[in-house]
């Protein structure tokens, strides 16, 4: 699968308050706010477009703690 | 097509192919138990800048390897609960006084990395004097100043940094210079002083600006580690709720309206120089010995006690206000002092003068006592039922519980502690005054613990009673306590 060779982020839906700061921060528009709601009643952000460059902009902009984790593909991989 | 892919598809990848590049800092607790059991999110509103800054500071603490050295001074304001999140030393300071607290820690703990984290109401309002003087002394501390141009916690009132024409709850037609003066540029004020080594203003408006904030935060902490001197980072931060905007709009408003008033950029960076701006070597530091000399205290004059405590006594005395709960604590602590022991007394009571609940924590030890708080006592004196209900389970196994059984209609349920059910109020009424029930309990405690002697108790009571005609009745209470224990010892 193509994603194996790509960077990606994980957004923990339980920790997201849906402020969308990450959506604006992402230079490649990979993130969107979905229509599902989480246990706090917020529509949470999700990783939607697989063009992540693992720059960490979403991670540093996010005001929550550990809501976003950024994974970079290993050089050795694939 | 890809837009419809569920995130879980990506989660299922073989993780060996990937390395984690950015994740939650280790300096933040895994879950925030002091907020709520298992809590994973902050108490901040969606889109608040505080969380972003917390993350940046935590990452810098991780990377500098200073987690065990950091003392984080949190302010009054939305970030009052910073200690929920940071797994470092924490002190919550009186409003605006964080720089003064930080200075004290700096002077007494050479290895500490002291962070003062303050908002604009705290730093530029009530605490203006503290920050200016701490900066002027060039204390080697790091101050993070979160400027969101409004009072957040109290619901959006005007702050000293509120910009002209900005509408707030207290400036409904906008801030006007003729009424409320001009917004105060804290970085400029600090930059006018001689001592600070690093002053920078940053913004959280966009991701690249957040990265600049990250660099400034790291530098400000690095300066302290390198003992360069006072560093201040002013962070323009969005407050979407009180600005009445979405998180995204608030970041745009910040960039378009706050940044022109408070220009971002470095105002001062003298950290490259070889010296701290303040020559601390010339500062005379007075040794402990010298202080004792000045005070006329002979160092050899160490108090020795004839008492031998089996273990440190952590006593909780609880009951209704008016039952003499707090004064029993003072009496016990005074007796311990008279015995040449170390002791602390800490009261806790409601606003009512009578009838509310009250408790006193007393520690008695041969060693210096670190904290006056008693969370898990080994002695509980319960003057009424609510007190026994509240504290019974906190008593450490092997401890003892003394119950005023006149007021408590049940037995002690714990089987791993020694329980004494003393009808103290009834006994006190028989002697002539319900006020002395506490002394009966205290007498029994003195006898079973050996922490204080009855001779000392008899000597100290007359000194601590204002109405001297009550001394005799208190002496009778002691006798009653002795008699009760003799009868019930089997």
């Amino acid at each position: 699968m193509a994603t194996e060779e790509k960077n990606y982020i994980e957004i923990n839906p339980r920790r997201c308050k849906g402020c969308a700061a990450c959506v604006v921060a992402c230079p490649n528009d990979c993130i969107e706010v979905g229509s599902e709601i989480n246990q706090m009643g917020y529509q949470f952000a999700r990783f939607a477009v697989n063009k992540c460059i693992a720059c960490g902009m979403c991670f540093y902009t996010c005001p929550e703690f550990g809501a976003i984790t950024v994974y970079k593909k290993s050089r050795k991989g694939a | 097509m890809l837009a419809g892919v569920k995130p879980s598809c990506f989660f299922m990848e073989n993780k060996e192919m990937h390395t984690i590049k950015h994740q939650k800092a280790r300096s933040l607790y895994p879950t925030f138990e002091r907020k709520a059991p298992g809590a994973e999110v902050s108490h901040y509103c969606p889109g608040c800048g505080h969380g972003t800054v917390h993350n940046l500071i935590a990452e810098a603490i991780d990377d500098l390897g200073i987690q065990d050295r950091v003392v984080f001074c949190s302010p009054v304001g939305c970030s009052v609960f910073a200690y929920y999140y940071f797994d470092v030393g924490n002190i919550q300071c009186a409003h605006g006084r964080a720089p003064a607290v930080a200075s004290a820690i700096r002077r007494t703990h050479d290895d500490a990395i002291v962070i003062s984290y303050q908002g604009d109401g705290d730093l530029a309002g009530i605490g203006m004097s503290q920050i200016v003087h701490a900066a002027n002394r060039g204390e080697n501390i790091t101050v993070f100043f979160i400027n969101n141009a409004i009072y957040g916690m109290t619901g959006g009132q005007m702050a000293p940094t509120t910009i002209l024409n900005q509408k707030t709850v207290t400036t409904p037609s906008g801030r006007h210079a003729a009424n409320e003066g001009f917004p105060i540029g804290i970085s400029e004020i600090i930059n006018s002083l001689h001592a600070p080594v690093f002053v920078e203003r940053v913004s959280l408006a966009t991701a690249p600006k957040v990265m600049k904030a990250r660099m400034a935060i790291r530098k400000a902490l690095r300066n302290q580690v390198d003992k360069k001197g006072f560093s201040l980072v002013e962070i323009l931060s969005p407050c979407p709720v009180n600005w009445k905007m979405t998180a995204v709009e608030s970041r745009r408003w910040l960039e378009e309206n706050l940044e022109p008033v408070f220009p971002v950029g470095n105002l001062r960076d003298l950290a490259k120089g070889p010296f701290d701006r303040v020559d601390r070597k010339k500062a005379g530091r007075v040794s402990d010995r010298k202080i004792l000399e000045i005070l006329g205290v002979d160092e050899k004059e160490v108090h020795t006690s004839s008492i031998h405590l089996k273990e440190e006594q952590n006593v909780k005395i609880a009951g209704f206000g008016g039952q003499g709960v707090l004064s029993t604590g003072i009496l016990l602590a005074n007796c311990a002092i008279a015995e040449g022991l170390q002791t602390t007394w800490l009261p806790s009571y409601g606003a009512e003068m009578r009838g509310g609940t009250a408790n006193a924590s007393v520690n008695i030890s041969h060693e210096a006592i670190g904290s006056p708080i008693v969370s898990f006592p080994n002695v509980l004196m319960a003057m009424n039922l609510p007190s026994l209900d509240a504290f019974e389970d906190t008593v450490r196994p092997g401890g003892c519980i003394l119950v005023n059984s006149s007021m408590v209609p049940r037995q002690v349920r714990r089987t791993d502690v020694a329980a004494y059910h003393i009808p103290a109020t009834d006994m006190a009424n028989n002697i002539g005054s319900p006020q002395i029930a506490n002394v009966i309990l205290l007498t029994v405690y003195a006898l079973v613990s050996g922490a204080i002697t009855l001779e000392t108790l008899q000597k100290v009571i007359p000194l601590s009673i204002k109405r001297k005609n009550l001394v005799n009745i208190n002496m009778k209470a002691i006798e009653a306590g002795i008699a009760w224990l003799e009868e019930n010892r089997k």
Side-chain angles (χ1 to χ4, degrees), chain A residues 1 3-21 24-26 32 36 39-40 42 46-50 53-75 77-78, chain B residues 2-7 9-11 13-25 28 30-32 38 40-52 54-56 59 85 204-208 210-211 214 218 246-248 251:
Chain A
M1 219 173 138
T3 49
E4 281 183 9
E5 294 147 28
K6 295 203 172 184
N7 309 306
Y8 69 101
I9 63 164
E10 269 179 13
I11 300 175
N12 184 336
R14 294 181 52 78
R15 295 182 181 178
C16 178
K17 290 179 183 165
C19 74
V24 180
C26 180
E32 63 176 26
E36 286 175 80
Q39 85 289 357
M40 294 180 286
Y42 295 114
R46 56 200 197 112
F47 183 47
V49 181
N50 201 2
I53 55 170
C55 64
M57 291 297 169
C58 55
F59 173 82
Y60 286 114
T61 316
C62 177
E64 279 304 319
F65 305 132
I68 298 176
T69 309
V70 182
Y71 295 87
K72 193 175 169 59
K73 68 178 178 193
S74 309
R75 290 209 181 118
Chain B
L2 267 172
V5 173
K6 285 209 167 170
C9 298
F10 303 134
F11 299 169
E13 298 305 328
N14 179 2
K15 285 200 176 155
E16 283 166 24
M17 308 282 293
H18 293 89
T19 50
I20 294 175
K21 194 171 171 214
H22 301 290
Q23 65 179 331
K24 184 175 167 183
L28 298 168
T31 54
F32 310 121
E40 293 176 54
V41 294
S42 69
H43 71 286
Y44 298 119
C45 311
C48 174
H50 275 303
T52 306
H54 283 17
N55 275 324
L56 296 176
E59 187 202 41
Y85 312 115
L204 301 180
T206 63
V210 170
M211 299 311 278
R214 174 173 177 259
R218 295 169 85 86
T246 67
V248 174
R251 280 158 175 77

Side-chain angles (χ1 to χ4, degrees), chain B residues 146-168:
Chain B
I146 313 299
N147 179 358
N148 59 12
I150 209 157
Y151 278 83
M153 184 182 74
T154 48
Q157 293 81 0
M158 191 201 82
T161 50
T162 296
I163 60 173
L164 293 179
N165 300 321
Q166 185 182 340
K167 287 184 181 172
T168 69

Side-chain angles (χ1 to χ4, degrees), chain B residues 119-137:
Chain B
D120 44 62
D122 190 80
L123 184 142
I126 192 168
M128 177 66 100
S129 156
Q130 269 68 27
I131 187 63
V132 170
H133 287 289
N136 192 44
R137 292 190 302 269

Side-chain angles (χ1 to χ4, degrees), chain B residues 171-289:
Chain B
T171 54
S173 59
R175 180 178 188 167
H176 295 295
N179 287 332
E180 293 94 11
F182 293 92
I184 299 176
I186 290 294
S187 290
E188 285 78 7
I189 289 178
I190 300 302
N191 193 35
S192 71
L193 302 169
H194 177 77
V197 294
F198 183 81
V199 182
E200 184 160 333
R201 184 185 281 128
V202 295
S203 157
L204 301 180
T206 63
K209 284 176 178 165
V210 170
M211 299 311 278
K212 276 193 183 156
R214 174 173 177 259
M215 294 315 292
I217 286 168
R218 295 169 85 86
K219 219 166 190 179
L221 279 172
R222 161 65 68 187
N223 286 344
Q224 188 182 161
V225 174
D226 294 345
K227 298 192 189 297
K228 296 283 187 185
F230 184 90
S231 301
L232 179 133
V233 182
E234 175 174 347
I235 300 149
L236 302 179
S237 174
C239 182
V241 169
N242 285 307
W243 294 354
K244 304 185 181 3
M245 299 172 195
T246 67
V248 174
E249 284 165 1
S250 70
R251 280 158 175 77
R252 203 175 305 131
W253 189 87
L254 195 166
E255 193 166 33
E256 289 168 3
N257 296 281
L258 273 192
E259 287 185 18
V261 181
F262 302 114
V264 296
N266 184 276
L267 284 84
R268 177 186 296 200
D269 186 1
L270 304 172
K272 284 175 201 123
F275 301 114
D276 186 343
R277 296 272 276 183
V278 184
D279 188 357
R280 287 171 214 284
K281 279 173 199 141
K282 282 185 187 159
R285 187 166 259 211
V286 183
S287 71
D288 292 353
R289 188 180 295 271

